[in-house]
Amino acid sequence: MSRYIAITDIHGELGKLESVLNKIETHSDDIFVFMGDYIDRGPNSKEVVDKVIEIGKKYKTVYLIGSHEYAYMHSQNDEYYNFLFWNYGGPATVKSYGSFENIGKIHGEFFRGLKPYFLTDKYLFVHAGINPRYSLENQDEADLVYIRHNFIYSKHNLPQKIIFGHTEFESPYIDKDKIGIDLGCGKYKNAKLCALILDNGKEEFVYSD
């Protein structure tokens, strides 16, 4: 069976992404699942997106949307999301790309192709979580990228274990039905980036330097 390698909330920290990748001895049939928040805050948003696209040329790769991509995609038509983009790390992304317009010109196709979640027989990969009151089919996309406590501290009814990011913890959040792997990369200077390798029931965490 193929392994799943889950990574989330990179936030423009190319060095930390490369550090994690260098510590993983990859297999040709590995499946990478990037769970959003490629951009904002850190200095290298464009280079991070270039890197994850490059990985997709060698390995089967799934790209999910995060809250920061969601804010960017809605920023020109919604005042609220425009505020979120420009006040929660967006200027660093604009600097990385050279201008706001360049984001869409260079990687617009990538951002438009991001998926809301990735479901397998054993796992649901999603940026923030799900609203436990609704079925997966009836989720609001904003919940999938923004929800926090109502998901984290409630049981859900899916048979799959949920792998999520968005809400940062000092160490991976491990519960019977979910695992959170956002450790604050990009938000805090010394925070590490975490990758989760899922290998036929085994769970291995890999951390950046």
Side-chain angles (χ1 to χ4, degrees):
M1 290 181 62
S2 298
R3 304 186 307 174
Y4 293 103
I5 302 174
I7 301 175
T8 189
D9 294 86
I10 306 165
H11 284 301
E13 294 284 0
L14 179 65
K16 293 181 181 180
L17 174 60
E18 292 179 333
S19 173
V20 161
L21 294 173
N22 288 337
K23 293 181 179 183
I24 300 173
E25 187 173 338
T26 54
H27 305 164
S28 60
D29 62 342
D30 283 339
I31 300 172
F32 280 86
V33 186
F34 290 101
M35 296 156 48
D37 281 7
Y38 313 89
I39 63 171
D40 294 353
R41 294 179 173 154
N44 302 117
S45 290
K46 176 186 176 295
E47 292 81 2
V48 165
V49 176
D50 283 336
K51 185 66 176 183
V52 299
I53 291 173
E54 177 187 322
I55 290 170
K57 296 177 180 177
K58 186 174 181 181
Y59 302 93
K60 182 175 180 181
T61 306
V62 178
Y63 304 106
L64 304 185
I65 189 169
S67 56
H68 286 252
E69 291 78 41
Y70 190 90
Y72 160 70
M73 296 291 285
H74 291 80
S75 63
Q76 290 182 291
N77 300 311
D78 188 299
E79 184 177 342
Y80 173 70
Y81 291 111
N82 186 63
F83 173 84
L84 290 183
F85 176 78
W86 288 104
N87 287 274
Y88 289 89
T93 300
V94 172
K95 184 177 180 180
S96 175
Y97 279 88
S99 71
F100 182 86
E101 291 72 24
N102 279 348
I103 303 172
K105 290 178 181 177
I106 297 171
H107 286 142
E109 183 178 356
F110 172 80
F111 290 121
R112 289 189 295 271
L114 297 175
K115 307 298 183 185
Y117 60 82
F118 176 54
L119 184 67
T120 75
D121 57 340
K122 293 183 179 180
Y123 303 103
L124 170 68
F125 299 87
V126 63
H127 178 67
I130 63 171
N131 189 323
R133 295 184 296 170
Y134 302 109
S135 67
L136 185 59
E137 296 75 19
N138 292 316
Q139 293 290 318
D140 184 325
E141 188 175 15
D143 276 339
L144 298 177
V145 297
Y146 284 109
I147 199 167
R148 294 189 190 275
H149 296 86
N150 289 344
F151 157 70
I152 296 169
Y153 303 114
S154 300
K155 296 298 181 183
H156 61 80
N157 295 316
L158 294 180
Q160 289 87 355
K161 181 176 285 189
I162 297 181
I163 312 301
F164 71 99
H166 185 60
T167 300
E168 68 269 12
F169 301 94
E170 291 186 4
S171 59
Y173 178 87
I174 302 173
D175 205 344
K176 289 182 179 180
D177 63 346
K178 60 179 73 76
I179 299 176
I181 59 171
D182 177 10
L183 304 185
C185 177
K187 189 173 183 179
Y188 306 109
K189 182 179 179 180
N190 296 321
K192 297 182 182 297
L193 182 67
C194 175
L196 171 59
I197 302 175
L198 299 165
D199 184 9
N200 196 27
K202 298 178 182 178
E203 300 162 357
E204 177 186 357
F205 298 95
V206 180
Y207 307 95
S208 64
D209 293 328

